[in-house]
Amino acid sequence: MDLDALAHLAHPTHLRELFRTDPGRATRYVVEAGDLRIDYSKHRLNDDILASLLELAQDSDVEGRRDAMFAGEHINVTEDRAVGHSALRMPVGSTFMIDSENVVPDVHAVLDSMSAFADRIRADDRITRIVNIGIGGSDLGPAMAEQALGAFRHPRLRCSFVSNIDGADIAGVLADSDPASTLFIVASKTFGTVETLTNARTARSWLVDALGEDAVIDHFVAVSTNAERVADFGIDSENNMFGFWDWVGGRYSVDSAIGLSLMLAIGPGRFREFLAGFHTIDEHFRTAPLAENAPVLMALLGVWYTNGLGFDTKAVLPYANELARFPAYLQQLDMESNGKSVTLEGERANYNTGPIVWGETGTNGQHAFYQLIHQGTSVVPVDFIGFAKPHHDYPEHHDLLMANLIAQSEALAFGQMNEAEPWRNFEGDRPNTVILAEQLTPSVLGQLIALYEHMVHVQGTIWGVNSYDQWGVELGKELANQVTPELTGDPTPDAHDSSTNALINWYRANR
């Protein structure tokens, strides 16, 4: 079976009818993975469609490409690299071979070094503020996870994350910080990322102005692979630099040394629980049959909607305020991975690939965009995420929150007819998944992230794209490097179109 065939599958009847004629679907279309309960019964799905989707997975060699990833093969073909983020969360004594080398001992050596550093900082009353300076995967992952696991945060340490080249970002953080009690983490694999290094130099100048040049070595650490540039910056590259590897993509790196700020916040023990959660889903994905494999099933639903029914967006709606940044994190994970129009064979794809991913926490979104997902002309498949137990002492709030999650799932699926007042008519038949766990813990957060990581991998496999490169971010960077000196120096009008030249001239005249 191929992707073109999906558009010709018989579309199922309304979800109201599917539940009326098949009451067992509420238990049959549920899968458990680790601590996650994933209910996909409220989807435009029946046994025939599911069988066809599983056939598509078989024909696309989902199992073979999965096994190739876990075997350390160079499935990132455009960069000739292995895809080894699963090695980052493997237990001591495990084996993950990349280029004839077991990389797990090196992973744990870095983890041990991070743990010793974290223990030292957590015991040092002089440090009260951690500022992570990075961008993309070096920011989104740790920023999202640190907020998500706020209940486990060290009571003395406060974390901030600076990523935007807009000076307002770092200005706000520095204005609220004390140089003597602030530790900066500069996260950049090459230690050459323009946005990160610009912010890092600003932070360095701020610190030196207050405490002198000698303070840099005590207040800056690096997450990088470029020891020479780190040392030139003034950071102790032997003791205060934590490395990672080219087989770790930025958007898959929160469980590497990129997560140092998170480890400082929640402690080495909790960080290892976080890693263990990832590994739980890794093993589920690696071993579960396709028909019982949570990432595979979620991926197939996405392919069905993208290529079978033509739905080109997806909303992720966590009913947990701690997960406020989870949709933004998934935007990078999904859209940077599978937002591709060229296949692994170098040909232009003649079908849609990755969806537009967006979302907001419940119940805030209910008073914003839920109008569209209930009654709009665009059908938006939804992932709801919720937990049985909160981390606060207001159970009546949590009961109301979860009542809203459950009710919204029901309302989207089944709607409510009102022929007399059509503006009150809710057609329903809006597909949604409900993902539940007992409580948001470090392990459960790791499981959630890994669930979506592997879902993205499966969809990339079926669409025949490389989920592990990101060439689409390069052109804008190159042109920005060309434009930057023209804003203050001599313009080169022959290098640009008339609109770009006009924008440069306006800025030069008004800056």
Side-chain angles (χ1 to χ4, degrees):
M1 182 177 184
D2 58 26
L3 285 168
D4 290 338
L6 290 183
H8 303 293
L9 289 179
H11 295 182
T13 56
H14 195 289
L15 281 164
R16 286 192 292 265
E17 184 67 12
L18 288 175
F19 272 82
R20 188 188 68 79
T21 59
D22 181 15
R25 68 186 286 118
T27 54
R28 195 170 71 257
Y29 290 157
V30 173
V31 63
E32 294 188 354
D35 298 307
L36 307 178
R37 181 187 189 271
I38 302 164
D39 178 352
Y40 62 101
S41 62
K42 296 190 188 79
H43 280 279
R44 297 186 182 182
L45 189 73
N46 56 31
D47 290 347
D48 291 338
I49 291 172
L50 181 57
S52 295
L53 292 171
L54 289 167
E55 179 187 342
L56 174 63
Q58 292 277 8
D59 292 346
S60 302
D61 197 24
V62 162
E63 292 167 304
R65 188 164 172 82
R66 173 199 64 192
D67 295 345
M69 179 179 69
F70 282 107
E73 295 181 20
H74 286 212
I75 65 170
N76 179 354
V77 294
T78 59
E79 297 178 309
D80 191 23
R81 292 175 181 171
V83 174
H85 51 273
S86 295
L88 298 171
R89 50 262 197 158
M90 296 183 81
V92 173
S94 302
T95 300
F96 196 110
M97 302 298 294
I98 295 179
D99 297 331
S100 302
E101 178 186 358
N102 180 16
V103 300
V104 176
D106 284 347
V107 167
H108 280 276
V110 173
L111 274 173
D112 290 343
S113 179
M114 292 168 59
S115 297
F117 178 78
D119 284 337
R120 188 167 77 249
I121 295 299
R122 286 166 64 86
D124 185 351
D125 289 340
R126 294 172 299 176
I127 298 298
T128 61
R129 187 74 177 269
I130 310 296
V131 178
N132 186 91
I133 301 176
I135 199 166
S138 298
D139 168 77
L140 278 168
M144 176 276 295
E146 192 273 340
Q147 180 175 356
L149 300 177
F152 303 90
R153 188 185 300 131
H154 191 291
R156 191 188 75 248
L157 296 176
R158 191 161 52 110
C159 293
S160 296
F161 297 85
V162 173
S163 60
N164 202 324
I165 193 64
D166 186 339
D169 194 4
I170 193 165
V173 171
L174 296 181
D176 192 36
S177 300
D178 169 37
S181 61
T182 300
L183 175 71
F184 292 97
I185 301 170
V186 184
S188 172
K189 182 183 289 188
T190 63
F191 221 73
T193 307
V194 172
E195 298 93 336
T196 299
L197 266 293
T198 301
N199 282 322
R201 292 187 190 103
T202 298
R204 188 185 190 282
S205 296
W206 173 82
L207 183 80
V208 168
D209 287 346
L211 302 178
E213 193 80 26
D214 292 343
V216 174
I217 200 165
D218 292 323
H219 289 266
F220 274 86
V221 299
V223 178
S224 181
T225 58
N226 195 322
E228 183 178 353
R229 288 183 179 176
V230 167
D232 287 344
F233 188 88
I235 296 173
D236 181 355
S237 59
E238 288 191 16
N239 300 302
N240 288 344
M241 187 182 93
F242 305 92
F244 54 113
W245 305 269
D246 66 3
W247 40 262
V248 180
R251 56 192 174 277
Y252 296 90
S253 65
V254 65
D255 43 343
S256 72
I258 290 295
L260 179 61
S261 56
L262 177 63
M263 182 184 279
L264 288 165
I266 67 174
R270 294 290 191 186
F271 191 83
R272 289 175 192 267
E273 292 175 18
F274 178 58
L275 299 182
F278 278 95
H279 185 64
T280 295
I281 301 301
D282 291 344
E283 287 300 287
H284 168 84
F285 177 54
R286 189 178 67 84
T287 62
L290 295 182
E292 302 167 19
N293 196 304
V296 171
L297 291 168
M298 288 183 63
L300 290 174
L301 288 168
V303 171
W304 168 228
Y305 292 134
T306 298
N307 304 109
L309 298 181
F311 305 155
D312 57 5
T313 78
K314 174 182 178 176
V316 179
L317 309 176
Y319 277 65
N321 201 57
E322 301 98 319
L323 288 178
R325 299 212 60 187
F326 195 57
Y329 176 79
L330 294 183
Q331 283 179 338
Q332 185 195 27
L333 174 64
D334 200 321
M335 296 167 72
E336 194 167 88
S337 294
N338 289 339
K340 311 287 171 61
S341 58
V342 177
T343 69
L344 290 165
E345 287 73 36
E347 300 174 351
R348 184 168 182 82
N350 59 1
Y351 45 80
N352 288 336
T353 57
I356 300 165
V357 179
W358 56 284
E360 177 60 88
T361 54
T363 55
N364 290 356
Q366 292 176 202
H367 295 270
F369 53 80
Y370 276 42
Q371 169 64 46
L372 183 146
I373 64 176
H374 277 290
Q375 290 186 310
T377 55
S378 298
V379 175
V380 181
V382 168
D383 286 354
F384 291 105
I385 303 172
F387 304 94
K389 298 175 182 177
H391 286 291
H392 56 72
D393 296 324
Y394 304 102
E396 68 278 8
H397 283 252
H398 197 66
D399 291 343
L400 183 58
L401 177 73
M402 290 303 293
N404 273 272
L405 183 159
I406 294 167
Q408 291 294 334
S409 172
E410 180 182 23
L412 284 170
F414 303 111
Q416 187 178 77
M417 303 305 292
N418 192 324
E419 295 181 4
E421 297 177 299
W423 51 89
R424 294 181 182 269
N425 185 46
F426 295 83
E427 295 178 355
D429 209 25
R430 307 292 171 120
N432 64 88
T433 302
V434 178
I435 303 171
L436 299 175
E438 184 176 338
Q439 193 169 42
L440 181 56
T441 64
S443 173
V444 166
L445 180 62
Q447 292 173 49
L448 278 170
I449 297 172
L451 174 71
Y452 281 95
E453 284 180 348
H454 296 315
M455 181 203 77
V456 165
H457 170 89
V458 173
Q459 290 180 333
T461 298
I462 293 172
W463 287 322
V465 299
N466 182 4
S467 301
Y468 300 104
D469 63 10
Q470 54 280 330
W471 297 107
V473 305
E474 296 301 320
L475 179 58
K477 287 183 179 180
E478 293 173 8
L479 292 176
N481 289 335
Q482 180 180 333
V483 169
T484 299
E486 297 181 57
L487 298 181
T488 56
D490 295 328
T492 54
D494 292 343
H496 306 289
D497 62 276
S498 57
S499 172
T500 301
N501 286 327
L503 293 171
I504 292 171
N505 290 334
W506 181 92
Y507 183 81
R508 286 169 58 86
N510 291 279
R511 67 185 292 274

